[in-house]
Amino acid sequence: MLSLGMARTTTKEIARAADCSEAALYKYFASKQELFVAVLGERLPRLGPLMERLARDPGTRSVEDNLTEIARVAALFYEQSFPIAASLYAETQLKLRHENAQRQIGAGPHLPIEGLADYLRAEQRAGRIRAEADASTGAALLMGACCQRAFAYDATEAGRSPQSLDEFARAAARTLLAGLG
C-alpha cells in the first residue's frame, strides 16, 4: 500500500507481502477498506486514543501542551498515511466507493476532527477555552493544517516543511489557542 497506494494495491499483492493467501486475508478482514483501517491503526501514530484520553481528563496539562501533542501526532499520521490514501481521491467513483465503505465500518477522515472537537468542548466545560469558541471549526483548522503540511511541502524546492515537526506542532497549537482564547 505504501509503494502503490491503496487504490492500485490488490488483495493478491497484500496477501503475497503478508505471506498468506487471499482467503486468509478475508478470514480476518471483510474488505480491503477494513484492512486499510487496520493498517492505519496498527502502523501509524494513534490519534483516536490520544484525543479520547484528553477529552476524559483535559486538565492534567496546559491546553497548549495538549494541542501541541495532538498536532505533532496528527502531522505524523497524515505524513505517513498520505502516500497510501492519496490515490483513493484521484477518481470520483473510487472516492465514493471508499467513502461508502468507510461509513459501513464506522471509519473515516472525519473521526480525528470529531475527536479533537470533543476534546476542545471538554476544555470549554473546564473553563480553559472561551465558551463561545467554535470547537468543531477549531478542530477542522488544526487537523487541516496538519494534513496540508503532509501534502504541500513535498512540492517545495527544499522538498520539506520550513519548520521541524516540533516547531510546526507548537506554532499550530499556539495559533489555534490564540483564536480559542
Side-chain angles (χ1 to χ4, degrees), residues 63-129:
V63 176
E64 182 178 320
D65 286 344
N66 289 339
L67 290 174
T68 298
E69 182 179 4
I70 290 167
R72 187 176 194 296
V73 171
L76 278 173
F77 173 83
Y78 291 121
E79 180 182 304
Q80 293 174 17
S81 65
F82 191 77
I84 299 170
S87 62
L88 295 169
Y89 298 93
E91 182 183 313
T92 304
Q93 289 304 317
L94 183 59
K95 177 182 180 284
L96 291 173
R97 277 197 316 269
H98 177 68
E99 289 170 348
N100 287 333
Q102 293 291 289
R103 272 191 284 282
Q104 289 175 357
I105 62 174
H110 62 289
L111 295 178
I113 298 168
E114 290 174 0
L116 178 52
D118 289 343
Y119 162 68
L120 293 174
R121 286 186 203 94
E123 290 290 9
Q124 285 175 314
R125 289 189 296 276
R128 296 182 353 145
I129 291 178

